[in-house]
Amino acid sequence: MMDLPIVDSHVHLWDPTHFSMPWLADIPLLNRPYGLRDYEQGTKDLPIAALVSVEAAVDPAEALLEARWIDSLAQNEPRLQAIVAAAPLEQGPAVRAHLESLVALSPRIKGVRRNLQDESPGYCLQPNFLQGVQMLAEYNLSFDLCITHQQLPGVIELVRQCPDTAFVLDHIGKPDIKHGQLHPWRTHLGELATLPNVQCKISGMVTEADHHRWKVADLAPFVQTVFETFGEDRVMFGGDWPVVLLASSYHRWHEALGELTSHLSLVAQRKFWRENARRFYRMS
């Protein structure tokens, strides 16, 4: 594959000795600090030109502190050009103070995420949550959708009711790759892609596959579906560091996607690996 510059649209940096992150307790491999040096080692010899840091589910009371900490790391790492911070959007109009604090904190704050994957399918359609998401457009903040494939019908309606908010679907909506279940995920993804204000990250796939026995062929129909439904202008690469380590090295994930996108035109490959993420997150 060609040595194309990469904008990694999905990187987690965390320190469970500094922040409360109880979800890591049962995952020994991940239950330690992962900072920029770890990321640099894990991506050694790859042409990472820029990266997007995505919130890592710290205690909600520490959300602003996490965003401030990530921004402080960027002072010594010019490639860290965008931050997706946590925000309690379920507060509805009351989340305004939080959003104002975020945008005042740093110009690197480009978006927010309120992780939905553990919520009920209809959670995102509650009036307060809808209002919180709709408010993001006022602050020029995008919304990262972290969900499972069962939640896609509700998310389609969420995106439809928030036409002024820019969305990106993390981890292609977490389909059941392990069992090769394309349906109804494929149908729902196609419906979501008809809405012009949503894009899709090809990220987090190997952790939805068989951690120990996945093959490139297992990923192929899912990657193909994403490109067919969203097109080359609305798909971006995400490494999902360090969660990817549960099923793969970063290099192996990069190589798998290189193989699966090698048939694309050079223009389309550049969009996927770099340009779409740079545009979506408004990076310099």
Side-chain angles (χ1 to χ4, degrees), residues 37-229:
R37 182 173 296 181
D38 300 289
Y39 179 76
E40 194 170 318
Q41 292 173 346
T43 60
K44 186 178 180 181
D45 298 326
L46 290 177
I48 308 292
L51 58 104
V52 180
S53 173
V54 179
E55 65 88 23
V58 303
D59 186 290
E62 300 175 333
L64 288 174
L65 293 175
E66 179 195 33
R68 187 173 294 112
W69 178 69
I70 295 294
D71 189 60
S72 72
L73 298 179
Q75 308 300 321
N76 298 311
E77 175 49 270
R79 295 183 302 171
L80 206 175
Q81 296 177 15
I83 299 170
V84 177
L89 297 176
E90 68 276 12
Q91 294 180 0
V95 78
R96 186 175 295 278
H98 185 98
L99 299 179
E100 290 180 349
S101 295
L102 283 177
V103 296
L105 191 155
S106 171
R108 295 184 186 89
I109 306 289
K110 304 296 187 179
V112 304
R113 186 169 82 158
R114 178 11 177 121
N115 198 316
L116 294 169
Q117 65 181 4
D118 295 323
E119 305 294 349
S120 63
Y123 183 91
C124 65
L125 298 178
Q126 296 178 98
N128 272 352
F129 193 88
L130 280 169
Q131 289 182 60
V133 176
Q134 290 164 350
M135 286 170 57
L136 295 178
E138 298 178 39
Y139 296 94
N140 197 27
L141 294 171
S142 59
F143 185 64
D144 267 59
L145 290 158
C146 186
I147 62 166
T148 64
H149 62 97
Q150 296 96 332
Q151 295 169 306
L152 274 167
V155 161
I156 292 166
E157 186 58 29
L158 167 69
V159 175
R160 185 176 285 121
Q161 292 195 37
C162 303
D164 296 325
T165 300
F167 293 87
V168 61
L169 180 67
D170 294 348
H171 313 326
I172 71 169
K174 293 197 171 186
D176 186 356
I177 298 172
K178 183 176 182 179
H179 297 103
Q181 292 188 357
L182 284 164
H183 300 287
W185 167 82
R186 174 184 277 169
T187 300
H188 292 149
L189 198 75
E191 188 175 352
L192 180 65
T194 64
L195 303 171
N197 56 321
V198 61
Q199 304 197 25
C200 187
K201 289 183 187 180
I202 296 187
S203 60
M205 292 183 63
V206 290
T207 46
E208 299 305 314
D210 187 308
H211 288 192
H212 305 291
R213 290 183 290 273
W214 70 269
K215 304 180 297 295
V216 174
D218 300 332
L219 312 180
F222 294 91
V223 171
Q224 180 181 353
T225 295
V226 172
F227 274 98
E228 288 175 349
T229 54

Side-chain angles (χ1 to χ4, degrees), residues 2-7 43-50 79 254 273:
M2 289 171 288
D3 202 26
L4 295 173
I6 297 168
V7 172
T43 60
K44 186 178 180 181
D45 298 326
L46 290 177
I48 308 292
R79 295 183 302 171
H254 173 260
W273 290 107

